[in-house]
């Protein structure tokens, strides 16, 4: 599969660069979706819109067993600083490599259409919107994207990586943490800055609440079941000589264990309201969006492991359980809304090295200047396609081929 993928490397690069130059975010993906739709149509497929994403089914016949191959395709709203010749100039940037994913999955579709007579069953391609806001997978699911789907696979590129391009890491079990975006509103009472006895200071109360929340990870969680709580934004007050009426802070919570997640959410609420109350203020906590843990299915992980070895060579594929410390690149703490799909059908997410640190690919994902090694494109296309071939292998026996 890899040698075949290498013959379409130029097409992969061309597609990736078009998507990169025209980076779009969230569900506003007009150019991105038009391009993907045209490409799929040129392969004889019939793409359609599902929950703001684009899907297409490749039907080999003989069976309705369907594998979903998913790529996220949205970018981030930042000014690109990569200085690449095809850099995006519209204030968006593909800093998470989703342009790479989209080009790889288009490549896989091309490779799999060539297998028409060799396989049975179906492959559904999902080019997913709005991963960065953790909304796209759920929207696709709610619109029926998983109808007939029995298993799902996706991959994510790694850069600033210790591994050579094309290396694949397969995580066992939970491969990405649950994430919750929260907002805490502290309500006080405004008054003149010279007479604090007449008001309730929402800024001061918020400061105590914030410190209280950090006690959670320090004093209530075990080393084996941690959670990370980050407050990344705080706003409050209008004037230097007025006691602030309201303060709002926003943050994220990550946990690898669903029961830890639920417990921390409860404690976050309790600590916020109790501490605010101690300072005569009121706290209101809201969880505005989020996604569950991403769970890799054991059998599908094994299948993907074999498929990846067939593509990248056995010395370039690792199980994350065999890695230690900082090598566990896959269990990095970043969340993924493919998690929703993994809770609906047996699923697996792979990590694909697309930029080795010592070769100069030394900026992390989400950095405005990040670069990816395009040599990874043919590996990604081949891995997607090979997973489908391995998955549908059992089906093809029924066809007698
Ligand atoms: Zn991202
Ligand atoms: Zn991403």
């Amino acid at each position: 599969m890899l040698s075949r993928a290498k013959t379409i490397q130029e097409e992969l690069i061309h597609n990736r660069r078009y998507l990169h130059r025209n980076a779009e975010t969230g569900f506003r993906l007009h150019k991105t979706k038009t391009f993907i739709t045209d490409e799929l149509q040129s392969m004889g497929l019939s793409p359609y819109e599902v929950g703001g994403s684009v899907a297409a089914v490749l039907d080999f016949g003989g069976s309705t067993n369907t594998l979903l191959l998913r790529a996220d395709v949205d970018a981030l709203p930042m000014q690109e600083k990569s200085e690449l010749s095809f850099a995006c100039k519209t204030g968006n940037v593909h800093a998470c490599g989703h342009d790479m994913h989209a080009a790889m999955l288009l490549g896989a579709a091309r490779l799999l259409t060539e297998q028409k007579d060799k396989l049975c069953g179906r492959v559904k391609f999902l080019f997913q919107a709005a991963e960065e806001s953790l909304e796209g997978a759920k929207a696709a699911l709610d619109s029926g994207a998983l109808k007939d789907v029995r298993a799902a696979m996706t991959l994510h590129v790694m850069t600033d990586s210790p591994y050579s391009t094309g290396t694949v890491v397969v995580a066992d079990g939970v491969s990405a943490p649950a994430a919750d975006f929260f907002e805490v509103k502290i309500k006080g009472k405004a008054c003149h800055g010279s007479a604090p006895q007449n008001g309730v200071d929402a800024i001061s109360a918020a400061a105590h609440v914030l410190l209280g929340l950090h006690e959670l990870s320090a004093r209530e969680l075990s080393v084996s079941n941690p959670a990370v709580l980050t407050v990344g934004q705080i706003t409050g007050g209008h004037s230097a000589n007025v006691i602030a009426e309201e303060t709002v802070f926003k943050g994220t919570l990550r946990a690898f264990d669903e029961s830890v997640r639920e417990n921390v959410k409860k404690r976050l609420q309790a600590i916020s309201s109790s501490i605010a109350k101690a300072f005569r203020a009121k706290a209101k906590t809201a969880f505005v969006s989020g996604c569950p843990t991403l769970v890799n299915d054991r059998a599908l992980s094994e299948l993907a492991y074999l498929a990846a070895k067939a593509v990248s060579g056995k010395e370039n594929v690792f199980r994350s359980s065999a890695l230690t410390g900082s090598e566990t690149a896959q269990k990095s703490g970043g969340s993924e809304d493919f998690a929703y799909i993994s809770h609906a059908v047996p699923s697996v997410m792979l990590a694909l090295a697309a930029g080795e640190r010592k070769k100069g690919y030394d900026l992390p994902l989400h950095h405005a200047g990040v670069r990816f090694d395009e040599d990874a494109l043919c590996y990604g296309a081949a891995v997607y396609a090979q997973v489908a071939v391995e998955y549908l292998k059992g089906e093809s026996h029924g066809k007698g081929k």
Side-chain angles (χ1 to χ4, degrees):
M1 199 56 89
L2 181 64
S3 54
R4 178 67 195 112
K6 281 183 174 166
T7 67
I8 60 164
Q9 174 70 355
E10 232 169 86
E11 174 184 323
L12 294 170
I13 292 176
H14 172 268
N15 290 352
R16 184 258 164 156
R17 292 188 179 183
Y18 175 86
L19 294 166
H20 191 94
R21 193 181 290 117
N22 294 286
E24 296 169 300
T25 61
F27 288 104
R28 297 172 304 281
L29 301 169
H30 178 69
K31 282 188 175 170
T32 305
K33 289 199 288 190
T34 304
F35 181 81
I36 288 167
T37 300
D38 289 348
E39 283 296 307
L40 292 169
Q41 278 170 343
S42 79
M43 298 172 206
L45 298 170
S46 306
Y48 58 94
E49 180 94 23
V50 57
S53 297
V54 174
V57 175
L58 175 57
D59 192 347
F60 296 107
S63 162
T64 55
N65 191 6
T66 307
L67 173 73
L68 183 86
L69 296 181
R70 171 269 204 184
D72 41 11
V73 302
D74 59 320
L76 288 151
M78 299 192 281
Q79 199 65 50
E80 177 156 1
K81 290 188 179 145
S82 72
E83 290 171 13
L84 291 164
S85 61
F86 52 92
C88 182
K89 296 189 172 74
T90 64
N92 296 325
V93 54
H94 267 297
C96 207
H98 298 183
D99 53 336
M100 301 280 286
H101 302 166
M104 288 168 183
L105 190 56
L106 282 172
R110 174 84 66 206
L111 298 174
L112 286 168
T113 51
E114 295 168 0
Q115 303 280 323
K116 200 92 190 158
D117 301 324
K118 298 186 191 133
L119 295 169
C120 269
R122 295 176 190 159
V123 176
K124 186 183 271 192
F125 304 100
L126 178 66
F127 294 87
Q128 189 210 300
E131 192 284 324
E132 293 295 352
S133 60
L134 305 177
E135 294 172 297
K138 186 157 191 316
L141 236 81
D142 291 346
S143 302
L146 288 193
K147 192 174 170 285
D148 300 329
V149 168
R150 286 205 216 151
M153 174 261 172
T154 193
L155 59 77
H156 206 296
V157 288
M158 300 183 277
T159 184
D160 186 24
S161 159
Y163 306 118
S164 61
T165 291
T167 302
V168 176
V169 180
V170 188
D172 299 295
V174 175
S175 68
D180 290 287
F181 284 71
F182 64 86
E183 196 178 294
V184 180
K185 206 176 268 182
I186 312 275
K187 194 96 181 153
K189 186 178 167 213
C191 71
H192 197 288
S194 67
Q197 75 279 10
N198 295 330
V200 175
D201 187 350
I203 289 181
S204 176
H208 287 278
V209 170
L210 257 181
L211 293 176
L213 288 180
H214 289 308
E215 291 292 316
L216 250 174
S217 24
R219 300 271 53 99
E220 295 192 25
L221 296 169
S222 82
V223 67
S224 55
N225 263 328
V228 171
L229 192 146
T230 294
V231 171
Q233 194 183 352
I234 179 159
T235 47
H238 297 287
S239 174
N241 63 352
V242 178
I243 300 277
E245 169 121 4
E246 190 178 273
T247 303
V248 179
F249 57 84
K250 296 180 181 180
T252 52
L253 166 71
R254 324 260 177 181
F256 280 104
D257 183 290
E258 290 290 341
S259 64
V260 170
R261 176 192 186 198
E262 280 322 303
N263 184 43
V264 172
K265 280 168 83 173
K266 269 191 209 138
R267 291 291 296 141
L268 195 157
Q269 233 153 348
I271 290 172
S272 301
S273 59
S274 310
I275 295 182
K277 198 173 163 202
F279 293 95
R280 297 177 296 129
K282 279 195 180 117
K284 212 169 152 185
T285 307
F287 294 93
V288 285
S289 65
C291 75
T293 48
L294 196 163
V295 187
N296 279 348
D297 176 75
R298 189 181 289 271
L300 208 57
S301 297
E302 186 58 36
L303 183 148
Y305 178 64
L306 296 175
K309 280 205 290 193
V311 171
S312 299
K314 65 177 189 312
E315 64 287 359
N316 296 318
V317 183
F318 303 99
R319 310 295 296 243
S320 68
S321 54
L323 306 175
T324 53
S326 61
E327 280 184 312
T328 50
Q330 170 78 322
K331 230 175 183 175
S332 61
S335 299
E336 242 293 339
D337 79 344
F338 183 68
Y340 283 108
I341 294 173
S342 82
H343 282 254
V345 292
S347 298
V348 62
M349 182 174 90
L350 307 177
L352 173 69
E356 200 176 347
R357 193 174 301 135
K358 68 176 186 211
K359 291 203 171 156
Y361 296 96
D362 55 359
L363 293 175
L365 295 176
H366 284 213
H367 190 289
V370 68
R371 291 176 180 225
F372 298 91
D373 183 356
E374 289 179 326
D375 285 349
L377 290 168
C378 55
Y379 284 93
V383 167
Y384 268 125
Q386 189 64 37
V387 168
V389 169
E390 294 286 338
Y391 180 80
L392 296 177
K393 228 180 198 170
E395 302 292 321
S396 60
H397 292 310
K399 210 177 184 179
K401 301 219 163 165

